[in-house]
Amino acid sequence: MKRLTYIFTALLLLTSCNSEIQQLTGTYSYKASGEASIENVSTSLDDEIGTLEVIPINKKDSFRLIFNQVGGPVYTTVGLLYNEGKKLDLKKFERSINASAINYSVQVTGDGDILDGIIMLKLNYFGQSSAGIDIKCDNVLMVAKKND
């Protein structure tokens, strides 16, 4: 009987890990906005909307995020779940952004919280334009709501 209890407990723990990834998997609609510092002058970033696809890489804690910006590029990164599936970290990736009518190539880092079908990402952008103008954004918020 004890052996059966141990087996049941192990299966329950494995199932709960799988369900965190399974619950996160799907298509989301997102909006991102924030402030940027360009040559030490503060300006607003252009708002960004689009769809976000979350695809599991393994059954435990890794997943791929595919961002499809409306009227813009598609970019992707890898995420890692922790804290019982309530938090995530993003692997650094590159993308382009627009601010003050200038295009910038930036490195993106970030982390986030997961709560009832909503992913809230706190992103940091660091990079420069083709003309060598530096940009720093350390307060970009992206909110993604799971589509039904």
Side-chain angles (χ1 to χ4, degrees):
M1 189 62 147
K2 282 187 178 183
R3 186 176 295 175
L4 188 58
T5 303
Y6 289 128
I7 292 170
F8 179 73
T9 303
L11 285 173
L12 186 62
L13 287 173
L14 287 173
T15 304
S16 69
C17 289
N18 290 343
S19 68
E20 292 167 359
I21 286 285
Q22 290 170 351
Q23 288 176 7
L24 186 63
T25 300
T27 304
Y28 296 74
S29 297
Y30 75 83
K31 180 177 181 181
S33 61
E35 297 288 317
S37 176
I38 302 172
E39 303 276 303
N40 295 321
V41 176
S42 184
T43 187
S44 293
L45 291 175
D46 295 345
D47 285 347
E48 179 181 324
I49 59 172
T51 58
L52 166 64
E53 189 75 29
V54 178
I55 302 169
I57 293 174
N58 65 33
K59 293 182 178 180
K60 186 177 178 189
D61 57 4
S62 296
F63 53 94
R64 178 159 307 281
L65 294 102
I66 302 170
F67 301 87
N68 187 357
Q69 180 182 350
V70 171
V74 174
Y75 50 97
T76 183
T77 190
V78 173
L80 184 67
L81 284 176
Y82 66 98
N83 195 20
E84 299 176 359
K86 296 177 186 168
K87 296 207 174 269
L88 63 91
D89 276 330
L90 299 179
K91 183 178 177 183
K92 186 190 306 185
F93 64 100
E94 290 185 29
R95 63 162 299 189
S96 61
I97 61 170
N98 288 311
S100 298
I102 299 173
N103 193 350
Y104 294 86
S105 178
V106 296
Q107 295 277 324
V108 181
T109 59
D111 59 15
D113 298 306
I114 302 165
L115 183 28
D116 297 327
I118 296 175
I119 301 172
M120 293 184 299
L121 297 174
K122 294 168 281 261
L123 304 172
N124 302 302
Y125 299 164
F126 302 96
Q128 60 181 208
S129 72
S130 59
I133 301 170
D134 291 330
I135 187 169
K136 177 183 175 186
C137 316
D138 55 8
N139 194 20
V140 178
L141 179 63
M142 180 181 284
V143 179
K145 184 173 188 253
K146 195 167 194 177
N147 299 339
D148 293 328

Short mmCIF file of all heavy atoms in Angstrom, two decimals, residues 20-56:
data_model
loop_
_atom_site.label_atom_id
_atom_site.label_comp_id
_atom_site.label_asym_id
_atom_site.label_seq_id
_atom_site.Cartn_x
_atom_site.Cartn_y
_atom_site.Cartn_z
N GLU A 20 1.67 23.13 -15.67
CA GLU A 20 2.12 24.53 -15.71
C GLU A 20 2.48 24.93 -17.14
O GLU A 20 2.07 25.99 -17.60
CB GLU A 20 3.32 24.72 -14.77
CG GLU A 20 2.95 24.57 -13.31
CD GLU A 20 4.15 24.44 -12.41
OE1 GLU A 20 5.31 24.44 -12.90
OE2 GLU A 20 3.94 24.33 -11.19
N ILE A 21 3.21 24.08 -17.83
CA ILE A 21 3.55 24.35 -19.23
C ILE A 21 2.30 24.28 -20.09
O ILE A 21 2.07 25.11 -20.96
CB ILE A 21 4.63 23.37 -19.75
CG1 ILE A 21 5.99 23.71 -19.18
CG2 ILE A 21 4.68 23.33 -21.27
CD1 ILE A 21 6.67 24.92 -19.78
N GLN A 22 1.46 23.27 -19.86
CA GLN A 22 0.24 23.11 -20.65
C GLN A 22 -0.69 24.30 -20.48
O GLN A 22 -1.31 24.76 -21.44
CB GLN A 22 -0.47 21.81 -20.27
CG GLN A 22 0.27 20.58 -20.73
CD GLN A 22 -0.30 19.30 -20.17
OE1 GLN A 22 -1.17 19.31 -19.30
NE2 GLN A 22 0.18 18.17 -20.66
N GLN A 23 -0.81 24.82 -19.27
CA GLN A 23 -1.67 25.98 -19.03
C GLN A 23 -1.13 27.23 -19.72
O GLN A 23 -1.88 28.08 -20.16
CB GLN A 23 -1.82 26.24 -17.53
CG GLN A 23 -2.68 25.21 -16.83
CD GLN A 23 -2.72 25.43 -15.33
OE1 GLN A 23 -2.23 26.42 -14.82
NE2 GLN A 23 -3.33 24.49 -14.63
N LEU A 24 0.19 27.33 -19.82
CA LEU A 24 0.82 28.50 -20.45
C LEU A 24 0.73 28.43 -21.97
O LEU A 24 0.64 29.45 -22.65
CB LEU A 24 2.28 28.58 -20.00
CG LEU A 24 3.08 29.80 -20.43
CD1 LEU A 24 2.49 31.07 -19.84
CD2 LEU A 24 4.53 29.64 -20.01
N THR A 25 0.75 27.22 -22.52
CA THR A 25 0.75 27.02 -23.97
C THR A 25 -0.50 27.62 -24.60
O THR A 25 -1.60 27.49 -24.08
CB THR A 25 0.80 25.50 -24.28
OG1 THR A 25 2.00 24.97 -23.73
CG2 THR A 25 0.77 25.25 -25.77
N GLY A 26 -0.31 28.33 -25.74
CA GLY A 26 -1.45 28.88 -26.46
C GLY A 26 -1.12 30.19 -27.16
O GLY A 26 0.04 30.60 -27.25
N THR A 27 -2.18 30.83 -27.64
CA THR A 27 -2.05 32.10 -28.36
C THR A 27 -2.58 33.23 -27.48
O THR A 27 -3.64 33.12 -26.88
CB THR A 27 -2.84 32.04 -29.67
OG1 THR A 27 -2.37 30.93 -30.43
CG2 THR A 27 -2.66 33.31 -30.48
N TYR A 28 -1.83 34.32 -27.45
CA TYR A 28 -2.14 35.49 -26.64
C TYR A 28 -2.19 36.73 -27.54
O TYR A 28 -1.53 36.78 -28.57
CB TYR A 28 -1.06 35.72 -25.58
CG TYR A 28 -0.93 34.63 -24.54
CD1 TYR A 28 -0.35 33.41 -24.85
CD2 TYR A 28 -1.37 34.83 -23.25
CE1 TYR A 28 -0.22 32.41 -23.90
CE2 TYR A 28 -1.24 33.86 -22.28
CZ TYR A 28 -0.65 32.65 -22.61
OH TYR A 28 -0.53 31.66 -21.66
N SER A 29 -2.93 37.73 -27.10
CA SER A 29 -2.88 39.06 -27.71
C SER A 29 -2.08 39.94 -26.75
O SER A 29 -2.30 39.90 -25.54
CB SER A 29 -4.28 39.63 -27.88
OG SER A 29 -5.02 38.83 -28.77
N TYR A 30 -1.16 40.74 -27.29
CA TYR A 30 -0.33 41.56 -26.40
C TYR A 30 -0.32 43.03 -26.80
O TYR A 30 -0.60 43.39 -27.94
CB TYR A 30 1.10 41.02 -26.32
CG TYR A 30 1.97 41.30 -27.52
CD1 TYR A 30 2.63 42.52 -27.65
CD2 TYR A 30 2.16 40.35 -28.51
CE1 TYR A 30 3.43 42.78 -28.74
CE2 TYR A 30 2.96 40.60 -29.60
CZ TYR A 30 3.60 41.82 -29.72
OH TYR A 30 4.39 42.08 -30.81
N LYS A 31 0.03 43.84 -25.81
CA LYS A 31 0.30 45.27 -26.02
C LYS A 31 1.52 45.61 -25.19
O LYS A 31 1.64 45.18 -24.04
CB LYS A 31 -0.88 46.13 -25.59
CG LYS A 31 -0.60 47.61 -25.82
CD LYS A 31 -1.77 48.49 -25.47
CE LYS A 31 -1.39 49.94 -25.74
NZ LYS A 31 -2.46 50.85 -25.42
N ALA A 32 2.42 46.38 -25.78
CA ALA A 32 3.63 46.81 -25.09
C ALA A 32 3.77 48.32 -25.19
O ALA A 32 3.45 48.92 -26.22
CB ALA A 32 4.87 46.13 -25.68
N SER A 33 4.23 48.92 -24.13
CA SER A 33 4.50 50.36 -24.12
C SER A 33 5.57 50.65 -23.08
O SER A 33 5.82 49.84 -22.19
CB SER A 33 3.23 51.16 -23.83
OG SER A 33 2.72 50.82 -22.56
N GLY A 34 6.19 51.81 -23.23
CA GLY A 34 7.22 52.18 -22.28
C GLY A 34 7.92 53.46 -22.65
O GLY A 34 7.58 54.11 -23.64
N GLU A 35 8.88 53.80 -21.85
CA GLU A 35 9.68 55.00 -22.04
C GLU A 35 11.10 54.62 -22.45
O GLU A 35 11.59 53.57 -22.06
CB GLU A 35 9.74 55.81 -20.74
CG GLU A 35 8.40 56.33 -20.26
CD GLU A 35 7.89 57.47 -21.11
OE1 GLU A 35 8.70 58.36 -21.46
OE2 GLU A 35 6.70 57.47 -21.41
N ALA A 36 11.73 55.49 -23.20
CA ALA A 36 13.11 55.26 -23.63
C ALA A 36 13.95 56.48 -23.30
O ALA A 36 13.45 57.60 -23.25
CB ALA A 36 13.14 55.02 -25.14
N SER A 37 15.21 56.22 -23.10
CA SER A 37 16.18 57.29 -22.96
C SER A 37 17.07 57.28 -24.20
O SER A 37 17.79 56.31 -24.44
CB SER A 37 17.02 57.08 -21.70
OG SER A 37 18.02 58.07 -21.62
N ILE A 38 16.96 58.35 -25.00
CA ILE A 38 17.75 58.47 -26.23
C ILE A 38 18.70 59.65 -26.04
O ILE A 38 18.24 60.79 -25.91
CB ILE A 38 16.85 58.68 -27.45
CG1 ILE A 38 15.87 57.51 -27.60
CG2 ILE A 38 17.68 58.87 -28.71
CD1 ILE A 38 14.80 57.70 -28.65
N GLU A 39 20.00 59.34 -26.00
CA GLU A 39 20.99 60.39 -25.78
C GLU A 39 20.61 61.22 -24.54
O GLU A 39 20.63 62.45 -24.57
CB GLU A 39 21.12 61.28 -27.01
CG GLU A 39 21.47 60.54 -28.27
CD GLU A 39 22.95 60.29 -28.43
OE1 GLU A 39 23.72 61.24 -28.42
OE2 GLU A 39 23.30 59.10 -28.58
N ASN A 40 20.20 60.53 -23.48
CA ASN A 40 19.81 61.12 -22.18
C ASN A 40 18.55 61.99 -22.25
O ASN A 40 18.34 62.82 -21.38
CB ASN A 40 20.97 61.90 -21.57
CG ASN A 40 22.12 60.99 -21.21
OD1 ASN A 40 21.90 59.87 -20.73
ND2 ASN A 40 23.33 61.44 -21.46
N VAL A 41 17.75 61.83 -23.28
CA VAL A 41 16.46 62.52 -23.38
C VAL A 41 15.36 61.47 -23.33
O VAL A 41 15.38 60.49 -24.06
CB VAL A 41 16.35 63.33 -24.70
CG1 VAL A 41 14.98 63.96 -24.84
CG2 VAL A 41 17.45 64.38 -24.76
N SER A 42 14.39 61.68 -22.45
CA SER A 42 13.31 60.71 -22.27
C SER A 42 12.23 60.90 -23.34
O SER A 42 11.84 62.02 -23.66
CB SER A 42 12.68 60.89 -20.88
OG SER A 42 11.71 59.91 -20.66
N THR A 43 11.76 59.80 -23.90
CA THR A 43 10.71 59.83 -24.91
C THR A 43 9.89 58.55 -24.79
O THR A 43 10.35 57.56 -24.24
CB THR A 43 11.29 59.97 -26.33
OG1 THR A 43 10.22 60.15 -27.25
CG2 THR A 43 12.10 58.76 -26.73
N SER A 44 8.68 58.58 -25.32
CA SER A 44 7.83 57.39 -25.31
C SER A 44 8.15 56.50 -26.50
O SER A 44 8.40 56.98 -27.60
CB SER A 44 6.35 57.78 -25.38
OG SER A 44 5.96 58.44 -24.21
N LEU A 45 8.12 55.19 -26.27
CA LEU A 45 8.24 54.24 -27.37
C LEU A 45 6.91 54.18 -28.10
O LEU A 45 5.85 54.43 -27.51
CB LEU A 45 8.55 52.84 -26.84
CG LEU A 45 9.91 52.61 -26.22
CD1 LEU A 45 9.98 51.20 -25.64
CD2 LEU A 45 10.99 52.79 -27.27
N ASP A 46 6.95 53.85 -29.39
CA ASP A 46 5.71 53.61 -30.11
C ASP A 46 5.03 52.39 -29.48
O ASP A 46 5.69 51.39 -29.19
CB ASP A 46 6.01 53.31 -31.59
CG ASP A 46 6.60 54.50 -32.32
OD1 ASP A 46 6.52 55.63 -31.80
OD2 ASP A 46 7.14 54.29 -33.43
N ASP A 47 3.71 52.48 -29.23
CA ASP A 47 2.98 51.33 -28.71
C ASP A 47 3.07 50.19 -29.70
O ASP A 47 3.13 50.39 -30.91
CB ASP A 47 1.51 51.68 -28.46
CG ASP A 47 1.30 52.54 -27.23
OD1 ASP A 47 2.25 52.67 -26.43
OD2 ASP A 47 0.19 53.06 -27.06
N GLU A 48 3.09 48.99 -29.18
CA GLU A 48 3.18 47.80 -30.02
C GLU A 48 2.07 46.83 -29.63
O GLU A 48 1.83 46.60 -28.45
CB GLU A 48 4.54 47.14 -29.78
CG GLU A 48 4.77 45.88 -30.57
CD GLU A 48 6.13 45.28 -30.27
OE1 GLU A 48 7.11 46.02 -30.07
OE2 GLU A 48 6.20 44.04 -30.24
N ILE A 49 1.38 46.30 -30.64
CA ILE A 49 0.37 45.27 -30.40
C ILE A 49 0.65 44.09 -31.33
O ILE A 49 1.32 44.25 -32.36
CB ILE A 49 -1.08 45.77 -30.61
CG1 ILE A 49 -1.27 46.29 -32.03
CG2 ILE A 49 -1.45 46.83 -29.60
CD1 ILE A 49 -2.72 46.62 -32.37
N GLY A 50 0.15 42.92 -30.94
CA GLY A 50 0.35 41.75 -31.77
C GLY A 50 -0.12 40.49 -31.09
O GLY A 50 -0.86 40.54 -30.11
N THR A 51 0.32 39.37 -31.64
CA THR A 51 -0.01 38.08 -31.04
C THR A 51 1.27 37.42 -30.55
O THR A 51 2.35 37.63 -31.09
CB THR A 51 -0.72 37.12 -32.03
OG1 THR A 51 0.13 36.92 -33.16
CG2 THR A 51 -2.05 37.68 -32.47
N LEU A 52 1.11 36.64 -29.52
CA LEU A 52 2.21 35.90 -28.90
C LEU A 52 1.81 34.44 -28.85
O LEU A 52 0.74 34.10 -28.33
CB LEU A 52 2.46 36.43 -27.49
CG LEU A 52 3.34 35.61 -26.57
CD1 LEU A 52 4.76 35.53 -27.11
CD2 LEU A 52 3.34 36.21 -25.17
N GLU A 53 2.65 33.60 -29.41
CA GLU A 53 2.41 32.15 -29.37
C GLU A 53 3.40 31.54 -28.38
O GLU A 53 4.60 31.81 -28.46
CB GLU A 53 2.63 31.55 -30.77
CG GLU A 53 2.21 30.13 -30.90
CD GLU A 53 0.70 29.95 -30.96
OE1 GLU A 53 0.00 30.87 -31.44
OE2 GLU A 53 0.22 28.90 -30.51
N VAL A 54 2.89 30.75 -27.44
CA VAL A 54 3.73 30.06 -26.47
C VAL A 54 3.69 28.57 -26.79
O VAL A 54 2.62 27.97 -26.80
CB VAL A 54 3.27 30.32 -25.02
CG1 VAL A 54 4.13 29.56 -24.04
CG2 VAL A 54 3.28 31.81 -24.70
N ILE A 55 4.87 27.99 -27.07
CA ILE A 55 4.98 26.60 -27.47
C ILE A 55 5.96 25.90 -26.52
O ILE A 55 7.09 26.38 -26.35
CB ILE A 55 5.51 26.50 -28.92
CG1 ILE A 55 4.58 27.25 -29.86
CG2 ILE A 55 5.68 25.05 -29.35
CD1 ILE A 55 5.14 27.44 -31.25
N PRO A 56 5.56 24.78 -25.92
CA PRO A 56 6.48 24.08 -25.00
C PRO A 56 7.69 23.50 -25.73
O PRO A 56 7.56 23.03 -26.85
CB PRO A 56 5.61 22.97 -24.39
CG PRO A 56 4.47 22.80 -25.32
CD PRO A 56 4.28 24.09 -26.04
#
